[in-house]
Amino acid sequence: MTTTFRGLATIRHHAEDLAAAKAWYTELLGVEPYFDTPHYIEFRLGDHSQELGVSRTPSASTGVVAYRHVDDVEAVWERLLSLGARSHEAPRDHGHGFVAGTAVDPFGNLLGVMYNPHFVEVTGARGGAVPGVTRAPAGG
């Protein structure tokens, strides 16, 4: 049996002002895009070189939040806000070690950040502290 869906390949965001998006994401991520055209840029991130693309198109409504594992949710959250993102759902503890929040970038895209203990187990990544989060109700 073959599997149609083999895993996350690229998460694509949209921005009418691609130059501004390139500058903003480069500052946030600390790396330049590895793929850079007049209509699309793409960054490789993390332990598995997953791809974050930004397309110069009018913003599309989003119905899905893609979460990126981070070792320190609070630090990344503060960085997002300091660079002009706004809170959509402030980080909170969802139980069982999962801490997540979503922000809206200056171009209207949702960015999910999460501390995910399963990611740490599978990849061997070191986990960071997640102080200052609100605990979810029991059974989270």
Side-chain angles (χ1 to χ4, degrees):
M1 181 169 113
T2 60
T3 302
T4 303
F5 297 98
R6 300 194 52 162
L8 181 64
T10 302
I11 296 172
R12 186 178 77 184
H13 294 293
H14 305 271
E16 291 181 39
D17 186 342
L18 191 60
K22 177 182 174 181
W24 193 85
Y25 276 98
T26 298
E27 176 69 21
L28 173 68
L29 303 172
V31 296
E32 294 282 334
Y34 82 95
F35 187 81
D36 190 345
T37 72
H39 299 285
Y40 183 77
I41 58 173
E42 195 164 87
F43 300 86
R44 285 200 174 134
L45 307 170
D47 299 324
H48 301 286
S49 294
Q50 293 172 329
E51 297 173 346
L52 170 65
V54 183
S55 178
R56 192 179 89 180
T57 56
S59 292
S61 61
T62 182
V64 175
V65 178
Y67 289 91
R68 294 277 181 184
H69 172 85
V70 298
D71 290 332
D72 187 336
V73 172
E74 185 174 311
V76 172
W77 187 255
E78 292 304 317
R79 181 156 171 74
L80 282 165
L81 298 181
S82 75
L83 289 171
R86 67 183 191 280
S87 177
H88 179 71
E89 180 183 11
R92 69 180 180 96
D93 186 329
H94 291 270
H96 306 284
F98 291 89
V99 177
T102 55
V104 180
D105 75 10
F107 314 99
N109 299 295
L110 285 176
L111 297 174
V113 293
M114 172 185 282
Y115 179 83
N116 179 335
H118 294 166
F119 182 91
V120 174
E121 286 175 23
V122 171
T123 65
R126 292 187 334 214
V130 288
V133 298
T134 305
R135 300 238 6 123

